[in-house]
Amino acid sequence: QVQLVESGGGLVKPGGSLRLSCAASGFTFSGYYMSWIRQAPGKGLEWVSYISGSGSTIYNSDSVRGRFTISRDNAKNSLYLQMETLRAEDTAMYYCVRVDDFWSGRKFDYWGQGTLVIVSS
Amino acid sequence: DIQMTQSPSSLSASVGDRVTITCRANQSIDIYLNWYQQRPGKAPKLLIYAASSLQSGVPSRFSGSGSGTDFTLTISTVQPEDFATYYCQQTYSTPLTFGGGTKVEIK
């Protein structure tokens, strides 16, 4: 069965960096776009970034462009989010999500359990 | 950016009630609209994709409709496990955007 397991979250000071990882299993990882979506405590969902199966195409939200970098290692079935220059407003649960049917609708069909990032001094 | 507006932001319902949640986009998004359910402390779960297609494994009491700018999620007969927060999401163009959520509570 499809499993997505995030790791790497934690407490970091404003201006600091963090790298999130997502270990995928149960499907052909390289065949799917993958995405990061975040949710601030008590708030709604916010799309952050996604990456094509080959890693050649990337889309980012304006709120993280230039600070966050999505990447993947298909040999390791892993997705990453390198986060730099972190701000208090980046505090959130970060979800790793598989994207199915990218060219015909984009189904965000499997979600990990999330990893919590807290940016605070 | 495409703005997604959900209504109501919360509602109270009894088990067995019919519940309808609406989602409006500020420009046409064709049928590029997904619905998710999120229970407290859990990750969101895909219910409906492409406005009206039921995701595999999701009970048939959930249905979606609409196209263009106006969409609806309906729960035909609310069950105890359906009390949760529901989000719509447009996947028509980046940045992908979500509605603000609708919390369905027990009356």
Side-chain angles (χ1 to χ4, degrees):
Chain A
Q1 72 282 20
V2 173
Q3 278 199 305
L4 299 168
V5 180
E6 302 95 335
S7 60
L11 175 64
V12 61
K13 290 182 168 52
S17 303
L18 211 53
R19 189 195 198 204
L20 307 184
S21 301
C22 171
S25 60
F27 65 103
T28 304
F29 182 67
S30 61
Y32 290 84
Y33 270 73
M34 297 294 296
S35 184
W36 288 99
I37 290 175
R38 68 184 181 183
Q39 186 171 35
K43 302 297 185 182
L45 300 167
E46 180 188 10
W47 169 75
V48 173
S49 184
Y50 57 23
I51 185 169
S52 62
S54 66
S56 61
T57 301
I58 287 171
Y59 300 87
N60 293 307
S61 69
D62 287 346
S63 61
V64 306
R65 189 170 292 119
R67 299 188 301 122
F68 291 9
T69 303
I70 190 172
S71 63
R72 64 192 298 159
D73 184 336
N74 288 341
K76 295 182 178 180
N77 287 344
S78 293
L79 177 72
Y80 306 102
L81 186 67
Q82 179 67 42
M83 303 186 295
E84 307 283 351
T85 320
L86 283 160
R87 305 166 179 165
E89 55 265 35
D90 297 317
T91 294
M93 184 71 79
Y94 285 74
Y95 294 102
C96 167
V97 188
R98 190 182 84 163
V99 186
D100 194 9
D101 292 341
F102 184 84
W103 297 109
S104 62
R106 292 176 275 280
K107 298 168 50 174
F108 286 62
D109 62 350
Y110 284 94
W111 298 58
Q113 84 288 350
T115 188
L116 182 61
V117 173
I118 300 173
V119 183
S120 174
S121 54
Chain B
D1 298 3
I2 297 175
Q3 308 302 319
M4 305 301 294
T5 303
Q6 275 183 248
S7 61
S9 56
S10 65
L11 64 90
S12 296
S14 300
V15 173
D17 284 353
R18 181 181 183 89
V19 166
T20 299
I21 299 168
T22 64
C23 181
R24 176 166 289 176
N26 66 348
Q27 67 181 76
S28 178
I29 57 170
D30 195 355
I31 61 166
Y32 290 88
L33 191 283
N34 298 335
W35 289 99
Y36 301 88
Q37 176 194 66
Q38 186 177 33
R39 297 188 177 110
K42 300 295 187 182
K45 172 187 174 183
L46 177 65
L47 299 176
I48 301 287
Y49 63 95
S52 62
S53 295
L54 191 67
Q55 174 67 359
S56 176
V58 174
S60 59
R61 63 181 179 273
F62 291 93
S63 64
S65 65
S67 66
T69 60
D70 294 310
F71 301 86
T72 299
L73 173 70
T74 299
I75 311 172
S76 59
T77 310
V78 170
Q79 298 301 301
E81 60 269 29
D82 301 338
F83 293 97
T85 300
Y86 294 84
Y87 294 93
C88 62
Q89 176 204 32
Q90 66 83 14
T91 61
Y92 182 79
S93 66
T94 56
L96 309 185
T97 46
F98 290 86
T102 297
K103 187 173 185 179
V104 177
E105 298 175 301
I106 301 174
K107 185 182 288 184

